[in-house]
C-alpha cells in the first residue's frame, strides 16, 4: 500500500511510520489497531484517496458498514477514478437494509455525469491544456499549410480541439466544485427517523438505516432537511449522519 501526502519532512516521517504500523496491523488482522493508526493519520489533516480507501477497508473488517461506505465515498470524492474504492463501495452497499430506487435521469445527463466523474479536477485540467496545445499546433498548420485540403482539415480539427478543451475545462470546474461541496452524507446511526418538521414532535415520514446516502438541502439548528435518491424528503437530526 502507498499514499501520497504533503506535509513537512518531520511530519512525513511520522506519517510514514504510522502508515507502516497500520499496514502491519492490518496484515496481522488487528483491525482496531490498524484503524486507530489510519485515523491518527487522518487527524493530521492529511487527505488521500488511498488513505480513505484503507480506512474504509478497515471499518469493513470491523463490521462497521456505515463508516466503510462513508470512507469509500470520501475516496471517490477525491479521486473519482479510484476503481478499487468504487468496487468495494458497490459490495458494501448490498449489505445495507434500505433499498432506495433512484429517480432515473435523462440518459444524456447520466452519460455526461459518468464521463465527468471518471477523472478528477486536475486530470481534466491537464487534458484541457493538452487540447489547447493541440489546437494551437493545428491552427499554425492551417495558417502555413501550402495544401488547401490540409489547411481545411487542420482548421476543422483545431475547432474540434477547442470545443473539447472547453468541455474538459467545464468538467474540471465541476469536479473542483464537487470537492468543496458538503451537500452529501451517509447515515451512520443504526436508525434515522426522518420527520415532517425539524423537531422531535414532528411526524415520522419514513425511517432510514445506517449506510444510506443523503443529500443535504437545508439546516435549522441540529436538524437538516434531507433528500434520498428516490426523491423523498424530510428532516433528520444532524447527529445521525456524517458528511462525505
Amino acid at each position: 500500500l502507498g499514499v501520497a501526502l504533503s506535509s513537512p519532512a518531520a511530519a512525513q516521517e511520522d506519517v510514514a511510520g504510522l502508515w507502516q504500523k497500520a499496514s502491519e496491523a492490518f496484515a496481522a488482522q488487528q483491525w482496531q489497531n490498524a484503524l486507530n493508526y489510519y485515523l491518527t493519520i487522518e487527524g493530521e489533516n492529511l487527505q488521500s484517496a488511498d488513505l480513505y480507501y484503507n480506512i474504509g477497508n478497515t471499518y469493513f473488517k470491523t463490521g462497521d458498514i456505515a463508516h466503510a461506505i462513508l470512507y469509500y465515498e470520501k475516496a471517490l470524492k477525491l479521486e473519482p477514478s479510484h476503481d478499487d474504492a468504487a468496487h468495494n463501495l458497490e459490495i458494501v452497499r448490498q449489505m445495507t437494509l434500505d433499498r432506495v430506487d433512484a429517480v432515473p435521469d435523462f440518459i444524456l445527463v447520466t452519460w455526461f455525469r459518468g464521463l465527468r466523474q471518471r477523472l478528477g479536477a486536475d486530470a481534466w485540467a491537464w487534458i484541457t491544456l493538452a487540447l489547447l496545445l493541440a489546437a494551437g499546433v493545428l491552427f499554425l498548420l492551417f495558417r502555413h499549410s501550402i495544401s488547401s485540403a490540409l489547411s481545411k482539415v487542420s482548421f476543422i480539427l483545431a475547432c474540434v480541439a477547442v470545443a473539447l478543451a472547453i468541455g474538459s475545462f467545464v468538467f474540471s470546474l465541476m469536479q473542483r466544485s464537487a470537492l468543496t461541496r458538503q451537500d452529501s452524507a451517509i447515515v451512520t446511526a443504526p436508525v434515522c427517523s426522518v420527520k415532517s418538521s425539524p423537531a422531535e414532535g414532528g411526524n415520522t415520514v419514513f425511517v432510514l438505516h445506517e449506510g444510506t446516502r443523503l443529500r443535504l438541502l437545508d439546516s435549522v439548528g441540529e436538524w437538516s432537511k434531507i433528500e434520498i435518491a428516490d426523491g423523498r424528503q424530510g428532516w433528520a437530526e444532524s447527529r445521525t449522519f456524517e458528511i462525505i
Side-chain angles (χ1 to χ4, degrees), residues 33-86:
N33 287 342
L35 181 59
N36 291 339
Y37 288 130
Y38 284 131
L39 292 178
T40 301
I41 296 173
E42 184 189 23
E44 295 295 324
N45 294 320
L46 301 173
Q47 292 185 329
S48 161
D50 284 340
L51 172 62
Y52 291 151
Y53 168 70
N54 285 341
I55 293 176
N57 286 343
T58 313
Y59 267 123
F60 174 75
K61 291 296 187 179
T62 65
D64 190 336
I65 300 302
H67 281 92
I69 290 174
L70 175 67
Y71 277 90
Y72 290 143
E73 291 275 16
K74 283 176 176 283
L76 290 168
K77 184 176 182 179
L78 279 183
E79 188 180 319
S81 59
H82 201 299
D83 291 335
D84 289 336

Side-chain angles (χ1 to χ4, degrees), residues 125-169:
W126 281 111
I127 290 173
T128 300
L129 291 176
L131 287 168
L132 289 175
L133 178 62
V137 172
L138 288 166
F139 184 73
L140 289 174
L141 190 60
F142 158 69
R143 290 293 302 271
H144 301 289
S145 176
I146 58 175
S147 167
S148 60
L150 180 59
S151 178
K152 186 178 298 184
V153 170
S154 299
F155 178 77
I156 293 172
L157 291 177
C159 291
V160 171
V162 169
L164 291 174
I166 292 172
S168 62
F169 179 67

Side-chain angles (χ1 to χ4, degrees), residues 55-132:
I55 293 176
N57 286 343
T58 313
Y59 267 123
F60 174 75
K61 291 296 187 179
T62 65
D64 190 336
I65 300 302
H67 281 92
I69 290 174
L70 175 67
Y71 277 90
Y72 290 143
E73 291 275 16
K74 283 176 176 283
L76 290 168
K77 184 176 182 179
L78 279 183
E79 188 180 319
S81 59
H82 201 299
D83 291 335
D84 289 336
H87 175 74
N88 287 5
L89 178 60
E90 287 305 311
I91 292 175
V92 294
R93 273 179 176 165
Q94 302 305 313
M95 301 178 182
T96 59
L97 291 177
D98 298 326
R99 292 291 177 264
V100 182
D101 295 323
V103 177
D105 287 321
F106 182 56
I107 187 169
L108 285 179
V109 173
T110 302
W111 186 83
F112 275 108
R113 183 186 297 116
L115 177 62
R116 170 174 61 84
Q117 292 178 342
R118 287 305 302 164
L119 297 173
D122 290 344
W124 283 118
W126 281 111
I127 290 173
T128 300
L129 291 176
L131 287 168
L132 289 175

